[in-house]
Amino acid sequence: MAAEREPPPLGEGEQTDFRELEDGDDLFTSTVSTLESSPSSPEPASLPAEDISTKSNGPKAAELLLDDDREDLFAEATEEVSLDSPEREPILSPEPTPAITPVTPTALVMPRVDSHTMSIPSMFDRNQEEIEEEENGDMFDIQISVSDPEKVGDGMNAYMAYKVTTKTSLSMFSKNEFSVKRRFSDFLGLHSKLATKYMHIGYIVPPVPEKSIVGMTKVKVGKEDPSSAEFVEKRRSALERFLERTVKHPTLLQDPDLRQFLENSELPRAVSTQALSGAGILRMVNKAADAVNKMTIKMNESDAWFEEKQQQFENLDQQLRKLHTSVEALVCHRKELSANTAAFAKSAAMLGNSEDHTALSRALSQLAEVEEKIDQLHQEQAYADFYLFSELLSDYIRLISAVKGVFDQRIKCWQKWQDAQATLQKKREAEAKLQYANKPDKLQQAKEEIREWEAKVQQGERDFEQISKTIRKEVGRFERERVKDFKSVIVKYLESLVQTQQQVHLNLLPFCA
Amino acid sequence: MRSVSVDLNIDPSLQIDIPDALSERDKVKFTVRTKTTLPVFQKPEFLVTRQHEDFIWLHDTLVETEEYAGYIIPPAPPKPDFDAPREKMQKLGEGEGSMTKEEFLKMKQELEAEYLAVFKKTVAVHEVFLQRLTSHPAFSRDHNFQVFLEYDQDLSVRRKNAKEMFGGFFKSMVKSADEVLISGIKEVDDFFDQEKTFLVDYYNKIKDSTAKADRMTRSHKNVANDYIHVSACLCSLAIEESTALKKYLLSLAELFEKLRKVEGRVSSDEDLKLSELLRYYMRDIQAAKDLLYRRARSLADYENSNKALDKARLKSKDVQQAEKQQQDCCEKFELLSKSAKQELTSFKGRRVSAFRKNLIEMTELEIKHAKNNISLLQGCICLLKN
């Protein structure tokens, strides 16, 4: 029946907003988000809000690294670009000039600097070819696997160590294949760093699994039961997906913390995450979002795209949650089916033993064997239901949470800009008053303050435009990934169902023979 | 369901079926139709309306009839029980707000089908009870049976009278006979010794299997119902979706809708051919056990009469009376044993063929359903990959 409701022919990415994002070009642009084209760009009207000249590389970069105050970061920009409001279509920038190495923007983009984790990225040696490779749509040659969960230590101080293996041909890594041991709090630490660095400027950081006191306690206590094995497997799988999604993201891939996580044999223990979970980080980063929501002044949205998208994500969130609930019920019932089939199989075997008619006794024993095999199949299917279908949905529910967070960050950014404008206005009024008060030093100070706040207003506007641009790109990327992900998982899931049915069929045949 | 007990209703001289039934608030009214060539009946074809209690009355009178002590009395049909689907229907009504309209309609359809299935099963089990009676040479000639089939008025008056007369005497005897049987009356006959061991053990095993099969069937049904909800959610998602994913989601929603119908059939086939089969033979085995109890009782009477005779001979008092008594008991016992042996042997034959027939049919159906699933799934995968 669905066939009659053929959706309008929608090629991929046919939405006007994202047409440009089909090309790999934009991916690279996102990497150099703050470095977009030099003033010699042929399309002056579509220049990005930010422009950091080549002069800001090198030593300046180092200076900036230690600067805690984000606002001053871009004050160093010596070249000003016309601040036309960004057009609907995301900007297509040409190839960046070779002098601009991709790494620097990352450094610039990270405003909140934990000096102890800051390391000068060694990505200066990334060459143009690699960059081009990456332009071709998230096809970075890097594969991550999380495997071999191992219990380390005893009692309540015990923890699970996971082996994180990276296979890559990217030259930003020192080797082609390497592995390290990481524990869960290391992953939480990495996620927290990435979220803190990138979410407030509009990047969607993939979600990390939640802490689970119940789950981990069982493991620590050393219960070797199937439920704790399941818990560890669920976690391992989720951690793997977290890393896989993170390295697929062109900007996050270049983050030094990520590289350190993947490469360094020893990591400083992420203590602060003991109290924080993935959701906790999101909450922290989005703290301002609550303040924003409580504001009576609604943002003057000049760009309907954001409103539409927000609504769309809200709907998607609701629908995914409903579907997730149904699938969880399915997993539960399928597990029950498996258990009940196993119980029946045992009962049928006993009945067969009890049966005094030889042929019937044999038939009942056969039935019992068949049912036993079928119960195994049901259990495997329940795993597929869960690991393929259910986990995909819960990943996306968390991802959408991150997306919503990023939208809220934009509102916060806008508010900051508005506040700067209000302050500037006040300063101007104050200066005007002082004009007639004959207090030259105060007047001088007022004039300085005005200059300061003018710069802040400009910065605020630039930031807002930048975050808007980044979000558009990120959303485009998210949508593409979502379509890809769902398609591939749906097909895998259906194949698992086929597999199960074929096995059931095979097992039933001899009974009828 | 008819296949649960084989070889019934083949004698043209007396054929019974329940062509129709009406479900009212608390009871079910069965239309019992008889087609006969026997002269004892007034017409060659006639209909009566009976309730479940009438069937129970008939069963009880058969149990109470001493002549039939050596037969396996076909088990009484269980009371029609619509509580489960009724409760579920109520719960569904309460949860209506949380589903889409289509989802709700489908769930409602499912519950209505469940209700119908319970209804059909209860009709079948009442029908089989009557058909067992017609296929038995002694029962088919029973006067009360004839009254049941023919009497065109309400039987409720008769039912009350019967209760007052017998007061369930035999029934209570049978219940406490458990101790008699197990308390180790010395069994001289190997056949009955083996039968006793077999039936007691088998009864416990088949009771367990019936319960487990029921649970397994219910789980299948739950999975099928879950597919309804998953399909509905996928539909809702697809409606909002504007990317290429829309087609995927719609195809998947459609697939789940088709799969759930197959899964539903798997569940109901399992129910009818496995669960109902086991349940029926569980009750039949109980009936066979009852026969053994009656025989054991008769043996006890026989042994007691022997002891009484010895005592009488010792005292030289009332010897003739005691001799007569002992003779009677001996005859009764031997008659009962002979008839019981026959009944138990043919019972085994019946059981084996019924099991064979149903298990093979069930497996064949499951194979068909698996094939069906495979083709549905592969069709969908093909569609999505292109």
Side-chain angles (χ1 to χ4, degrees):
Chain A
M1 221 179 119
E4 290 152 26
R5 296 190 269 144
E6 204 65 67
L10 259 184
E12 260 192 82
E14 229 176 272
Q15 290 165 292
T16 49
D17 293 352
F18 302 117
R19 202 175 294 126
E20 294 70 22
L21 294 180
E22 280 313 322
D23 312 323
D25 287 355
D26 291 327
L27 290 163
F28 183 60
T29 331
S30 74
T31 319
V32 287
S33 54
T34 56
L35 254 198
E36 263 114 21
S37 53
S38 52
S40 57
S41 158
E43 304 141 14
S46 56
L47 273 175
E50 245 113 25
D51 181 73
I52 311 297
S53 73
T54 55
K55 295 194 217 126
S56 58
N57 284 349
K60 277 271 173 69
E63 245 177 72
L64 292 166
L65 288 176
L66 304 172
D67 199 323
D68 243 2
D69 186 353
R70 185 188 175 275
E71 288 172 281
D72 291 332
L73 218 54
F74 302 105
E76 304 296 331
T78 52
E79 303 225 14
E80 209 136 291
V81 179
S82 63
L83 292 176
D84 297 338
S85 52
E87 290 164 70
R88 241 345 139 86
E89 273 108 36
I91 291 126
L92 253 192
S93 83
E95 310 283 42
T97 55
I100 301 170
T101 54
V103 121
T104 337
T106 322
L108 291 169
V109 153
M110 292 185 292
R112 230 154 295 187
V113 169
D114 301 314
S115 47
H116 66 280
T117 58
M118 268 320 299
S119 49
I120 307 299
S122 56
M123 269 172 58
F124 287 97
D125 54 356
R126 263 184 71 223
N127 56 27
Q128 198 67 11
E129 288 95 73
E130 258 175 34
I131 296 163
E132 273 162 22
E133 226 177 82
E134 288 158 24
E135 289 175 353
N136 297 325
D138 289 355
M139 295 292 281
F140 311 128
D141 180 18
I142 173 166
Q143 282 149 316
I144 311 274
S145 68
V146 175
S147 60
D148 304 321
E150 220 180 14
K151 186 163 160 208
V152 176
D154 271 314
M156 288 314 283
N157 289 325
Y159 62 90
M160 291 304 275
Y162 301 88
K163 181 163 146 194
V164 178
T165 309
T166 314
K167 289 195 187 132
T168 177
S169 64
L170 295 174
S171 63
M172 72 191 205
F173 293 99
S174 47
K175 288 186 259 186
N176 279 4
E177 189 169 332
F178 48 91
S179 46
V180 292
K181 283 267 186 196
R182 294 285 177 253
R183 55 184 293 186
F184 183 62
S185 55
D186 294 333
F187 287 84
L188 286 185
L190 173 65
H191 176 260
S192 125
K193 287 197 193 114
L194 293 175
T196 320
K197 279 192 242 173
Y198 293 98
M199 285 200 61
H200 73 280
I201 45 172
Y203 289 96
I204 301 168
V205 175
V208 79
E210 293 302 316
K211 290 180 79 117
S212 162
I213 296 172
V214 175
M216 270 322 282
T217 308
K218 269 204 220 159
V219 172
K220 288 186 211 246
V221 162
K223 284 193 77 188
E224 291 281 332
D225 67 53
S227 71
S228 48
E230 254 181 65
F231 169 78
V232 171
E233 173 54 27
K234 180 178 170 183
R235 183 170 272 195
R236 181 211 65 79
S237 173
L239 291 174
E240 193 174 79
R241 293 193 306 271
F242 161 63
L243 286 179
E244 280 172 346
R245 287 202 175 100
T246 308
V247 300
K248 269 208 208 130
H249 193 299
T251 307
L252 298 179
L253 176 60
Q254 301 187 21
D255 185 271
D257 281 322
L258 175 64
R259 215 146 11 91
Q260 202 179 47
F261 179 90
L262 293 175
E263 277 186 322
N264 290 21
S265 50
E266 293 282 324
L267 266 192
R269 175 86 188 279
V271 273
S272 57
T273 66
Q274 271 172 329
L276 295 172
S277 60
I281 290 298
L282 272 182
R283 273 195 295 275
M284 238 182 54
V285 172
N286 293 341
K287 221 178 355 182
D290 299 331
V292 167
N293 292 338
K294 289 182 192 130
M295 270 165 32
T296 49
I297 304 164
K298 198 176 176 264
M299 170 172 168
N300 186 12
E301 186 61 79
S302 55
D303 195 346
W305 184 91
F306 284 91
E307 244 175 76
E308 275 168 36
K309 281 296 162 187
Q310 210 149 0
Q311 190 55 48
Q312 192 187 310
F313 282 117
E314 195 55 56
N315 291 341
L316 186 61
D317 186 36
Q318 275 179 20
Q319 299 296 344
L320 285 179
R321 280 176 199 273
K322 272 208 213 128
L323 180 59
H324 184 242
T325 308
S326 310
V327 175
E328 281 195 312
L330 174 64
V331 172
C332 186
H333 284 139
R334 211 169 325 247
K335 281 193 185 152
E336 257 174 40
L337 176 59
S338 167
N340 287 338
T341 309
F344 174 73
K346 285 204 187 80
S347 188
M350 304 231 323
L351 188 65
N353 284 341
S354 206
E355 175 61 60
D356 63 354
H357 187 273
T358 329
L360 182 54
S361 170
R362 211 174 26 232
L364 287 170
S365 302
Q366 255 188 307
L367 178 68
E369 273 172 37
V370 169
E371 294 293 347
E372 205 180 306
K373 294 210 187 88
I374 289 183
D375 104 66
Q376 292 283 52
L377 292 170
H378 285 313
Q379 192 167 56
E380 280 165 28
Q381 185 56 57
Y383 282 148
D385 289 342
F386 180 73
Y387 282 105
L388 288 174
F389 205 177
S390 178
E391 287 284 79
L392 171 77
L393 296 171
S394 64
D395 279 355
Y396 270 87
I397 290 170
R398 273 176 298 179
L399 265 168
I400 289 183
S401 226
V403 172
K404 290 204 276 192
V406 142
F407 272 80
D408 287 339
Q409 289 295 327
R410 175 175 171 270
I411 295 180
K412 176 187 173 194
C413 185
W414 178 83
Q415 192 56 44
K416 198 167 182 193
W417 175 28
Q418 299 305 303
D419 290 345
Q421 274 183 331
T423 312
L424 176 63
Q425 186 60 24
K426 283 205 196 86
K427 298 287 177 192
R428 285 202 171 125
E429 285 165 7
E431 191 238 10
K433 284 203 191 112
L434 285 174
Q435 289 274 0
Y436 302 103
N438 198 23
K439 288 181 185 153
D441 348 306
K442 283 221 172 126
L443 188 61
Q444 179 61 23
Q445 187 188 6
K447 284 203 199 297
E448 276 171 21
E449 283 180 1
I450 287 180
R451 267 200 297 279
E452 185 192 326
W453 280 95
E454 274 173 349
K456 284 191 182 170
V457 166
Q458 279 169 4
Q459 187 57 51
E461 189 176 359
R462 271 200 295 268
D463 290 348
F464 179 71
E465 280 161 9
Q466 185 54 46
I467 196 178
S468 301
K469 204 167 82 141
T470 306
I471 290 179
R472 279 170 178 268
K473 244 190 302 268
E474 284 287 282
V475 164
R477 188 177 165 275
F478 172 81
E479 288 287 84
R480 279 200 308 283
E481 283 301 306
R482 178 169 74 92
V483 170
K484 239 189 347 199
D485 248 349
F486 270 69
K487 276 188 181 176
S488 111
V489 168
I490 285 174
V491 171
K492 265 198 220 133
Y493 179 62
L494 291 182
E495 285 172 345
S496 84
L497 286 172
V498 172
Q499 173 86 302
T500 306
Q501 287 301 306
Q502 282 171 335
Q503 290 296 318
V504 166
H505 182 237
L506 265 170
N507 280 310
L508 286 173
L509 278 176
F511 192 82
C512 274
Chain B
M1 181 60 198
R2 216 157 276 145
S3 66
V4 160
S5 196
V6 292
D7 306 331
L8 292 179
N9 229 31
I10 49 177
D11 183 357
S13 67
L14 185 63
Q15 292 197 311
I16 303 181
D17 71 332
I18 300 181
D20 203 6
L22 191 64
S23 168
E24 285 176 3
R25 187 107 246 310
D26 275 330
K27 25 182 177 262
V28 181
K29 295 217 166 104
F30 301 94
T31 304
V32 179
R33 176 170 64 188
T34 312
K35 286 190 188 143
T36 178
T37 59
L38 298 174
V40 68
F41 293 102
Q42 296 194 0
K43 290 185 250 178
E45 188 169 331
F46 46 90
L47 295 165
V48 291
T49 307
R50 293 291 177 244
Q51 290 178 35
H52 171 73
E53 288 71 24
D54 300 329
F55 288 76
I56 300 301
W57 164 80
L58 179 59
H59 173 263
D60 289 352
T61 60
L62 296 173
V63 169
E64 313 274 333
T65 309
E66 217 185 306
E67 275 171 59
Y68 304 147
Y71 302 135
I72 296 180
I73 316 275
K79 191 168 189 287
D81 181 12
F82 295 98
D83 281 348
R86 232 178 249 149
E87 255 175 54
K88 283 192 204 161
M89 196 63 103
Q90 193 171 11
K91 259 200 208 140
L92 178 69
E94 286 165 11
E96 185 175 354
S98 68
M99 329 184 184
T100 68
K101 195 150 162 235
E102 280 108 30
E103 216 176 327
F104 178 74
L105 280 171
K106 289 201 184 110
M107 288 300 293
K108 188 150 169 269
Q109 270 172 14
E110 275 309 301
L111 283 180
E112 284 168 356
E114 217 175 289
Y115 192 90
L116 190 64
V118 170
F119 188 69
K120 280 192 179 150
K121 276 190 263 180
T122 195
V123 166
V125 84
H126 284 76
E127 192 179 71
V128 165
F129 171 70
L130 296 177
Q131 290 174 344
R132 279 281 292 277
L133 298 179
T134 62
S135 59
H136 195 285
F139 297 139
S140 56
R141 288 197 294 269
D142 183 81
H143 174 70
N144 284 316
F145 183 40
Q146 286 163 6
V147 166
F148 176 94
L149 291 174
E150 208 177 19
Y151 188 62
D152 60 0
Q153 308 273 344
D154 209 315
L155 282 180
S156 52
V157 176
R158 280 197 178 233
R159 283 193 267 129
K160 226 170 17 149
N161 292 342
K163 245 195 203 131
E164 279 159 13
M165 270 181 66
F166 292 120
F169 166 69
F170 259 87
K171 266 198 167 156
S172 60
M173 184 210 85
V174 164
K175 276 203 176 77
S176 64
D178 220 311
E179 305 134 63
V180 174
L181 195 63
I182 293 168
S183 72
I185 282 199
K186 192 163 180 309
E187 186 54 73
V188 290
D189 192 332
D190 270 347
F191 174 82
F192 287 102
D193 198 31
Q194 278 170 7
E195 279 300 306
K196 175 177 94 180
T197 316
F198 169 68
L199 287 174
V200 170
D201 182 42
Y202 202 76
Y203 178 74
N204 292 330
K205 302 273 161 61
I206 201 173
K207 190 164 173 212
D208 185 60
S209 294
T210 308
K212 302 264 161 69
D214 271 341
R215 275 207 277 274
M216 184 171 72
T217 307
R218 227 186 340 263
S219 283
H220 265 299
K221 195 86 212 310
N222 285 339
V223 169
N225 284 347
D226 286 337
Y227 280 2
I228 294 179
H229 298 302
V230 170
S231 176
C233 290
L234 286 167
C235 252
S236 305
L237 253 176
I239 289 171
E240 305 276 340
E241 188 66 41
S242 49
T243 69
L245 214 43
K246 196 188 187 92
K247 175 182 94 162
Y248 268 68
L249 295 170
L250 281 175
S251 303
L252 199 62
E254 207 178 288
L255 175 69
F256 269 96
E257 174 56 25
K258 293 195 186 122
L259 288 178
R260 70 110 176 167
K261 293 213 173 96
V262 179
E263 205 61 37
R265 262 173 245 138
V266 167
S267 170
S268 67
D269 287 342
E270 223 168 48
D271 188 26
L272 291 176
K273 302 224 170 277
L274 187 63
S275 305
E276 285 298 297
L277 173 78
L278 292 170
R279 197 185 336 272
Y280 187 79
Y281 279 95
M282 172 181 81
R283 289 197 300 256
D284 231 358
I285 300 240
Q286 182 61 51
K289 270 164 75 186
D290 292 348
L291 172 59
L292 285 184
Y293 299 157
R294 290 195 291 270
R295 182 180 165 279
R297 190 75 195 182
S298 165
L299 180 57
D301 287 346
Y302 180 30
E303 285 181 356
N304 289 340
S305 75
N306 272 335
K307 288 189 194 130
L309 181 58
D310 288 341
K311 232 198 255 174
R313 284 197 176 131
L314 237 83
K315 290 190 187 157
S316 294
K317 194 175 168 206
D318 295 324
V319 173
Q320 222 180 13
Q321 207 178 6
E323 270 179 354
K324 177 91 182 20
Q325 178 76 338
Q326 191 256 24
Q327 193 111 4
D328 281 344
C329 283
C330 180
E331 263 175 45
K332 262 202 199 132
F333 172 69
E334 283 180 353
L335 216 62
L336 210 158
S337 291
K338 185 156 157 252
S339 141
K341 202 173 206 161
Q342 257 177 341
E343 288 273 303
L344 289 169
T345 311
S346 69
F347 171 55
K348 189 192 300 288
R350 253 189 306 124
R351 187 179 83 245
V352 172
S353 7
F355 268 64
R356 178 186 294 130
K357 183 164 185 284
N358 281 280
L359 291 180
I360 291 182
E361 276 176 9
M362 178 184 80
T363 317
E364 285 174 348
L365 283 167
E366 306 299 357
I367 288 177
K368 190 178 96 173
H369 296 318
K371 275 197 187 143
N372 207 355
N373 275 338
I374 291 171
S375 85
L376 283 172
L377 287 162
Q378 282 175 335
C380 188
I381 292 175
C382 226
L383 187 70
L384 294 180
K385 278 186 171 166
N386 293 341

